[in-house]
Amino acid sequence: MSDKRQKNQLELAFPTESRGEASRTVRAGTESLAAKCIAERPASRLMEEVCKRENLKKALQRVKANKGSAGIDGMSVDALKPYLQVHWPKIREHLLNGTYRPQPVKRVEIEKSGGGIRQLGIPTVLDRFIEQAVLQVLQPRWDPTFSDSSFGFRPGRSAHQAVAKAQQYIAEGYRYVVDIDLAQFFDRVCHDKLMALVAKRVSDKRMLKLIRAFLTSGVVEGGLCKATETGVPQGGPLSPLLSNLMLDVLDRELERRGHRFCRYADDCNIYVRSWRAGERVMESISGFITDKLRLKVNADKSAVARPWHRQFLGFSFTSGQQPRRRLAPKTLKRFKVRVRALTKRNRGISLETMVAELSRYLKGWRGYYGFCQTPTVLERLDKWIKRRLRCYVWRQWKSGHRRYVQLRKHDVNRVLAAQTAGSNHGPWHLSTCSALHYGLPNAYFNALGLPTLVVRRNA
């Protein structure tokens, strides 16, 4: 589709606002009135900003880029634009009148990387679109007011920055960590507490009513619709911003007490100089979270410990005077479980297909965990992966005769090929032998597109 045609379709979906509303301030003509409108807009006319065509076009493009599954109404992302072209005037009227009602979210359960189940609430595509439009109006106003020690779900901030900040605190001598885990944070958020925080920043009653409606829209599970009296549904575009608003209260309290901390969503690490100080902080902050935020600290997963005995966002640290970032043990375990599943010897697919699947996973994993500062660990993982691939190839060759023929095709000399093909040892043992290393060198797998895990960084 040409750019011009796409632009025309977007304009059809979101026609220009009515002349009366758009030109009212201009006809008034006075400088003082214009100044007054500009001053009131952030507080009392947010819904008009949500419904601006440019904001809506941006929201539509974002929802389409994020893709995602359908909600309870079954509407796909691709069907959203045609639907808006027909129904947007009525939807806009409901938004501006404060009568829009979101549909219940669809409950979806996914496995957590560290074990357990995470419950997501998937809004309909239309509700995701409206949430995204609201987010684009509220986030530029709220985000600059959040703490510099908050890193999760914020523009220009990342998990890597949080880990690097934690590393800095450890290097400065704060070598004990108060690792606080909030039990089922997204399911336990008190709606009244959250809405009170929103109301301090928003005076547009239509916006307040809409946000409350998103929180209380209900959830469909097993064909039944259940009311949602607490919690922020994970899966909607607006949920991360609301969760940051809720936990900003915790951030400000930690800053008031002069603590050094890093928070990424509901993962919060506080760094102190002694174990005794850590115990005091754990007790007092746990009480604050329970009493002021009406949330619960998971005592089984929270602890005061040395940073190298804990993990933060998949990383841990070495114990030297200048700590280095390393992979947490659970991260290594999950990685090996995934690679073993992708390189199982009885998968019955071609080596090229296996390498292609493996490469997609390794590139994504390397993009995040390549931030570690222990290249020798990554080098060992690279060798281990190639060893598993050599095992797979050896298993594919099956018979001794075929193994001999294949080794000869890979330029292994006759005597070594015969000895290796006739060996009684298993694939794992033979994967380290000179014949397979010579016939299937690292360059062979590199040519198939297998990426290496080692990323050289200055940091």
Side-chain angles (χ1 to χ4, degrees), residues 63-344:
V63 170
K64 290 181 65 178
N66 289 340
K67 299 180 180 179
S69 59
I72 62 169
D73 61 355
M75 183 190 295
S76 67
V77 173
D78 292 335
L80 178 59
K81 185 191 292 186
Y83 181 85
L84 291 172
Q85 289 173 351
V86 176
H87 299 282
W88 173 246
K90 191 67 175 177
I91 296 170
R92 181 175 182 273
E93 180 182 344
H94 285 308
L95 289 171
L96 294 177
N97 291 339
T99 57
Y100 181 83
R101 296 294 302 173
Q103 296 189 64
V105 300
K106 181 171 70 174
R107 176 70 77 206
V108 176
E109 295 183 347
I110 62 171
E111 292 185 7
K112 294 182 181 179
S113 57
I117 299 296
R118 175 178 284 111
Q119 293 186 331
L120 299 182
I122 308 300
T124 64
V125 175
L126 176 60
D127 288 339
R128 290 209 298 271
F129 162 71
I130 293 174
E131 280 195 54
Q132 180 64 37
V134 171
L135 174 69
Q136 290 167 183
V137 170
L138 296 183
Q139 190 167 54
R141 288 172 166 80
W142 295 5
D143 190 80
T145 69
F146 292 155
S147 170
D148 288 338
S149 295
S150 167
F151 296 90
F153 309 117
R154 298 183 60 189
R157 289 173 172 263
S158 68
H160 287 173
Q161 292 174 341
V163 174
K165 193 66 175 179
Q167 182 183 13
Q168 176 187 328
Y169 290 146
I170 299 168
E172 291 173 354
Y174 298 86
R175 299 174 73 81
Y176 287 85
V177 62
V178 182
D179 188 352
I180 296 178
D181 183 86
L182 298 179
Q184 297 178 320
F185 165 72
F186 286 94
D187 297 327
R188 293 177 180 269
V189 170
C190 174
H191 289 172
D192 291 338
K193 180 68 177 177
L194 177 57
M195 289 307 302
L197 295 172
V198 175
K200 290 180 180 180
R201 297 167 179 256
V202 173
S203 63
D204 189 329
K205 293 182 179 180
R206 299 164 300 176
M207 179 66 75
L208 293 173
K209 188 175 180 181
L210 179 62
I211 294 175
R212 171 77 75 167
F214 279 125
L215 294 175
T216 60
S217 61
V219 58
V220 173
E221 187 173 10
L224 299 175
C225 184
K226 301 177 182 178
T228 48
E229 298 177 355
T230 60
V232 177
Q234 296 187 70
L238 196 56
S239 298
L241 180 65
L242 295 177
S243 66
N244 271 332
L245 179 64
M246 187 74 177
L247 291 175
D248 188 60
V249 178
L250 173 61
D251 296 341
R252 296 308 175 187
E253 179 64 16
L254 292 173
E255 289 178 344
R256 187 186 68 81
R257 300 184 185 192
H259 290 309
R260 289 156 178 79
F261 69 98
C262 297
R263 183 179 66 79
Y264 190 94
D266 56 339
D267 290 332
C268 184
N269 279 4
I270 308 167
Y271 294 88
V272 295
R273 290 189 182 274
S274 68
W275 182 84
R276 183 175 296 180
E279 288 290 299
R280 289 197 303 268
V281 170
M282 175 66 81
E283 182 179 0
S284 62
I285 293 301
S286 296
F288 177 86
I289 290 172
T290 302
D291 297 338
K292 299 298 183 180
L293 298 182
R294 303 183 191 177
L295 297 171
K296 184 179 179 181
V297 174
N298 189 333
D300 294 334
K301 294 184 178 181
S302 302
V304 178
R306 295 288 197 176
W308 41 92
H309 294 152
R310 305 293 292 181
Q311 68 169 353
F312 183 46
L313 303 176
F315 293 91
S316 188
F317 304 94
T318 60
S319 57
Q321 287 297 112
Q322 294 298 322
R324 292 180 298 158
R325 301 182 294 270
R326 66 181 180 90
L327 300 175
K330 289 184 179 179
T331 298
L332 283 171
K333 183 178 179 180
R334 289 196 300 268
F335 174 81
K336 289 191 172 184
V337 168
R338 180 61 174 156
V339 171
R340 286 191 181 103
L342 290 172
T343 58
K344 285 179 64 175

Side-chain angles (χ1 to χ4, degrees), residues 6-16 53 57:
Q6 187 174 12
K7 180 179 178 182
N8 290 338
Q9 286 196 345
L10 288 171
E11 290 177 351
L12 284 172
F14 312 122
T16 304
R53 185 168 59 181
K57 288 166 64 177

